[in-house]
């Protein structure tokens, strides 16, 4: 039978550094191919432990259960658990280590660089227990589903049971995937900048046109839901939600359509790290946990909710969908309150951090995305809320003005030159970095996984926060938004500290070694919970039994003192062994032979009497029972705290909102941004924007100190024209200008000050874009078909309140076809839909549409200057880009100048120039 063993050393490849005289010295770190070195190290290790060497590429699959292989009791347990949990990588607790077996060992060797060796029927490797979560995270980040198999009985309980001759019972107690692996402490740096941890359940109708999704962030309890109709051709609506939420796990019913399954698996494989796609049996009944608490959830989402609840139940996280998450539920599509951002807009305008930061390591985080540029938050939860604001800008003019008023009010409050009456707000903002992540802390309480050390951190944070909030309430803000949020905040001390101190000695929370030490016998019984009181009574009874056994050991110590004639003798503890009698080697003749020798040194020998052995077994058994009773009491206390989660989340939301508003204030002060004017909306009024001296914040922040940004003016759709055709030379700044307009509009509707001298806007309900060239080989679509699919989506979904950015539409085919498609698309946007349209093109014929529709279309060009300069081979024409938008149309693109900048050989440039001149002369004739 398996029994606790001494910790086994874990040998990692990176830690092996053989001396020069070692036979493996030929294989040095940093060689081009590490495989020979690894194979040689494997053989050397196998020879050292006496195991047969096996080539690293050879699989070590477990023998099938139906063979005649004779398994050890431990192996039989592993085989049975694996059969019940296919697709799960198992880490099996064996004493002071966790072991991998068979194919799991091979996976752990490959991902974690561990050494494997043969043990009976399986290849195996192990890691120490205190490093469990380190290796769990490595395996989960590699895309694996990891299960932890724990021993469900201790040595003391095993000895007291009737099955002491059998192996320790084990069962799968924890499952970890990317969405269910939660931070284990406040110092968990792997989660510092993690904005996206959604687990998304998606259900489609039989026609694959209507979809319903429910997504939850298990770490914070943030719940998202939506229903939408999508095209079976390109799934652009689904892509928009995937691009915005970036789920780390996708849960689908087993009967999901094959085309949808292929699309989501392709998406999952492109994520970094890879997302997981899980197939779950659809529950027959929708009476899933927590559904009754979400009355605002559309009926179409009930199947998705039940599917997600079923999936989370496997991880013990179904409480994420409980009543506490109802107040945090939000709909992805809210056309009356939120701006809609298509997937292409999120990507083309760099609104969110790159999905794989390593690909953009050379770019500063503040220049890589609008989130990075605006993020001056002081807390992790504040950064998460900022990400939500950027994903969903506001649409209603009154909501935008309210947030801008709060920013302006807070800017005055945090101004150091103001009198001391504004100090409470500055003190509260300055305290934000020192406060714990209340969102995740509350989630731990709801899941009942909060340790007493983590609770101590939360209580200390709430105690620090209480006087700061009280001071702020005495100096209220002027903006309606801050007043409303502050009015909903209760004193966190009354909700938490006052409750906990009825049962627990708060001073011991951070130092106690066991939960049993925490609970108090005295307290106001009238305020105590009846159920928890009964649990505490049973725990105190077991605690008294424990004290009785300890008293018996102390009494027995007096007997030993009398026998050995050593009145000052005390029990000795060495390592894990307690209640030892330590005598010198000279006193050995005085010790009865019946005493059990436990350990010794050269000068000291340690024993236990028969009675001490018996009493110690009784003590271990009672201590195990005490620990179980204390855990039950702790869970009951967590349930009481979870009932206050709704009020506490409102307090956390106020702090996060304050953090985001302060971030907007800091950006405005640093960059000298201005407050945009928000125009009233009304029936029939077109949305539009007018900018004077506008700048692209990301481009400007990425420029060197000795380079200045050239600002531009632009007005569209507030009056005529509703569409602007923008022409100009390659690399003349066309794309930067139209992106600047979109980014300024998004910033304004987020409630942020904007990079301009002056700006006014009538809010847009959506932003669509078609920029750049990309194919979709996985779905058999060429670059041009992908381009037209995106244009089709815009024409079907845009309206007179939308902003549309089209950059070089029609370039993926012949000039005649491409210009015709561009012409007709622009006419539809400007005349039929009447949406604000920025149309970048190299086809001068498209600008001719202005002569057909009149003032509905305007024409701008990126200005430039041409000059002749003498060179070695005669006069050369040089072009200087001025990066200023002026009225007019450019019929030249100056592509050869860009080719020269790119380093194309001069012979090729010369030939291209002759061809271009010939083509222009022919066109002129």
């Amino acid at each position: 039978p398996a029994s606790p063993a001494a910790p086994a050393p874990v040998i990692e490849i990176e830690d092996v550094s053989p001396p020069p005289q070692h036979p493996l010295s030929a294989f040095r770190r940093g060689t081009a191919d590490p495989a020979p070195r690894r194979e040689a190290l494997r053989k050397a290790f196998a020879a050292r432990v006496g195991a047969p060497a096996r080539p690293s590429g050879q699989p070590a699959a477990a023998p099938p259960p139906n063979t005649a292989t004779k398994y050890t009791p431990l192996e039989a347990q592993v085989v049975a658990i694996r059969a019940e949990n296919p697709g799960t990588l198992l880490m099996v607790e064996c004493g002071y280590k966790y072991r991998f077996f068979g194919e799991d060992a091979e996976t752990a060797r490959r991902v974690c660089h561990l050494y494997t060796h043969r043990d009976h029927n399986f290849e195996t490797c192990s890691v120490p227990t205190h490093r469990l979560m380190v290796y769990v995270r490595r395996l989960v980040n590699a895309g694996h589903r990891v299960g932890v198999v724990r021993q469900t009985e201790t040595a003391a309980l095993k000895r007291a049971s009737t099955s002491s001759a059998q192996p320790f019972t084990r069962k799968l107690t924890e499952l970890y995937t990317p969405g269910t692996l939660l931070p284990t402490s406040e110092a968990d740096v792997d989660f510092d900048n993690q904005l996206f941890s959604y687990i998304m359940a998606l259900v489609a109708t039989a026609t694959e046109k209507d979809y319903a999704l429910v997504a939850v962030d298990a770490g914070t309890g943030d719940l998202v839901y939506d229903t939408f109709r999508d095209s079976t051709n390109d799934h652009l609506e689904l892509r928009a939600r995937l691009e915005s939420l970036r789920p780390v796990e996708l849960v689908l019913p087993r009967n999901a359509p094959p085309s949808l399954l292929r699309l989501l698996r392709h998406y999952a494989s492109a994520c970094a790290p890879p997302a997981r796609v899980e197939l779950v049996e659809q529950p027959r009944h929708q009476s899933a946990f927590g559904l009754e608490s979400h009355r605002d959830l559309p009926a179409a989402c009930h199947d998705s909710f039940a599917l997600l609840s079923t999936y989370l139940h496997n991880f013990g996280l179904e409480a994420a969908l409980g009543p506490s998450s109802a107040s945090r539920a939000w709909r992805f599509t809210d056309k009356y309150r939120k701006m809609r951002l298509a997937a292409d807009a999120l990507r083309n305008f760099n609104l969110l951090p790159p999905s794989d930061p390593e690909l953009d390591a050379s770019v500063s985080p503040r220049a890589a995305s609008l989130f990075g540029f605006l993020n001056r938050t002081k807390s992790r939860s504040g950064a998460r809320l900022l990400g939500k604001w950027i994903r969903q800008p506001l649409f209603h003019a009154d909501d935008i003005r309210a947030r801008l008023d709060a920013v302006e009010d807070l800017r005055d409050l945090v101004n150091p030159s103001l009198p001391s009456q504004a100090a409470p707000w500055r003190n509260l903002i300055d305290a934000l970095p020192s406060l714990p992540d209340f969102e995740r802390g509350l989630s731990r309480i709801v899941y009942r996984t909060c340790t007493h050390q983590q609770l101590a951190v939360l209580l200390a944070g709430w105690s620090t926060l209480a006087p700061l909030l009280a001071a702020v309430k005495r100096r209220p803000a002027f903006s309606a938004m801050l007043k409303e949020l502050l009015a909903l905040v209760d004193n966190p001390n009354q909700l938490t500290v006052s409750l906990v101190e009825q049962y627990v000695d708060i001073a011991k929370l951070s130092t106690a070694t066991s939960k049993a030490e925490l609970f108090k016998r005295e307290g106001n019984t009238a305020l105590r919970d009846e159920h928890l009181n009964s649990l505490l009574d049973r725990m105190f009874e077991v605690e008294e039994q424990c004290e009785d056994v300890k008293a018996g050991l102390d009494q027995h110590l007096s007997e030993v003192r009398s026998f050995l004639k050593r009145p000052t003798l005390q029990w000795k503890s060495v390592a894990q062994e307690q209640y030892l009698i330590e005598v010198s080697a000279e006193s050995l003749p005085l010790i009865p032979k019946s005493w059990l020798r436990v350990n010794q040194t050269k000068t000291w020998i340690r024993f236990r009497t028969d009675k001490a052995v018996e009493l110690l077994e009784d003590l271990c058994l009672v201590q195990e029972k005490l620990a179980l009773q204390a855990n039950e009491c702790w869970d009951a206390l967590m349930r009481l705290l979870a009932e206050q989660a709704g009020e506490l989340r409102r307090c956390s939301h106020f702090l996060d909102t304050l953090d985001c508003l302060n971030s907007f204030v800091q950006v405005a002060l640093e960059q000298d941004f201005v407050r945009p004017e928000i125009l009233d909306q009304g029936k029939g009024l077109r949305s539009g924007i007018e900018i004077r001296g506008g700048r692209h914040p990301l481009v400007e922040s990425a420029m060197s100190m000795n380079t200045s940004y050239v600002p531009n003016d632009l007005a569209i759709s507030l009056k005529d024209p509703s569409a602007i055709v923008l022409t100009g030379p390659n690399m003349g700044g066309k794309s930067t200008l139209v992106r600047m307009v979109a980014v300024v509009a998004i910033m304004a509707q987020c409630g942020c000050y904007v990079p301009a001298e002056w700006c006014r806007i009538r809010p847009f309900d959506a932003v669509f874009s078609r920029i750049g060239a990309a194919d979709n080989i996985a779905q058999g679509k060429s670059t041009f078909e992908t381009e037209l699919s995106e244009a089709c989506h815009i024409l079907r979904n845009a309206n007179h309140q939308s902003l549309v950015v089209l950059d070089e539409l029609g370039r993926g085919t012949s000039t005649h076809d491409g210009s015709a498609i561009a012409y007709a698309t622009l006419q539809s946007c400007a005349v039929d839909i009447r949406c604000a349209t920025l149309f970048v093109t190299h086809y001068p014929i498209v600008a001719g549409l202005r002569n057909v529709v009149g003032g509905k279309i305007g024409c701008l060009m990126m200005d430039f200057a041409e000059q002749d300069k003498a060179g070695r081979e005669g006069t050369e024409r040089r072009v200087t880009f001025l990066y200023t938008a002026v009225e007019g149309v450019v019929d030249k693109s100056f592509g050869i100048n860009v080719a020269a900048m790119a380093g194309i050989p001069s012979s090729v440039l010369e030939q291209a120039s002759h061809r271009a001149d010939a083509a222009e002369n022919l066109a002129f004739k």
Side-chain angles (χ1 to χ4, degrees), residues 320-336:
L321 302 177
S324 63
S325 66
S327 60
R328 297 178 52 81
W330 54 282
R331 183 158 191 161
F332 184 86
T333 304
D334 188 353
K335 61 182 180 180
Y336 300 109

Side-chain angles (χ1 to χ4, degrees), residues 497-513:
V497 179
S498 300
L499 172 63
V500 173
E501 65 184 3
Q502 290 292 325
Y503 306 95
V504 171
D505 187 349
I506 295 179
K508 294 182 179 179
L509 278 173
S510 57
T511 58
T513 57

Side-chain angles (χ1 to χ4, degrees), residues 193 436 604 781 795 836 919:
N193 300 316
W604 300 98
K781 291 186 177 182
L795 295 175

Side-chain angles (χ1 to χ4, degrees), residues 44-59:
F45 179 77
R48 193 193 323 170
V49 300
R54 177 184 54 77
S56 60
Q58 178 181 342

Side-chain angles (χ1 to χ4, degrees), residues 144 296 650:
H144 298 284
D296 295 334
R650 285 199 290 269

Side-chain angles (χ1 to χ4, degrees), residues 265-300:
R265 282 177 173 163
H266 176 72
Y267 161 81
S269 62
C271 295
R276 287 187 62 86
V277 178
E278 299 281 355
L279 299 179
V280 177
E281 198 67 39
Q282 180 70 52
R284 295 184 178 181
H285 303 286
Q286 294 179 347
S287 56
F289 180 88
L291 188 56
E292 64 280 357
S293 304
H294 298 269
R295 297 180 179 179
D296 295 334
L297 199 68

Side-chain angles (χ1 to χ4, degrees), residues 228-291:
F228 59 97
R229 172 160 287 196
D230 203 359
S231 167
T232 57
N233 213 8
D234 45 37
H235 292 96
L236 290 178
E237 290 293 330
L238 176 57
R239 291 178 188 273
R241 287 149 181 81
L242 294 175
E243 185 73 27
S244 178
L245 299 176
R246 296 185 186 176
V248 295
E249 291 188 63
L250 291 154
V251 183
L252 302 172
R254 293 194 182 276
N255 60 348
S259 59
L260 177 63
L261 196 56
R262 284 195 301 271
L263 170 68
L264 295 181
R265 282 177 173 163
H266 176 72
Y267 161 81
S269 62
C271 295
R276 287 187 62 86
V277 178
E278 299 281 355
L279 299 179
V280 177
E281 198 67 39
Q282 180 70 52
R284 295 184 178 181
H285 303 286
Q286 294 179 347
S287 56
F289 180 88
L291 188 56

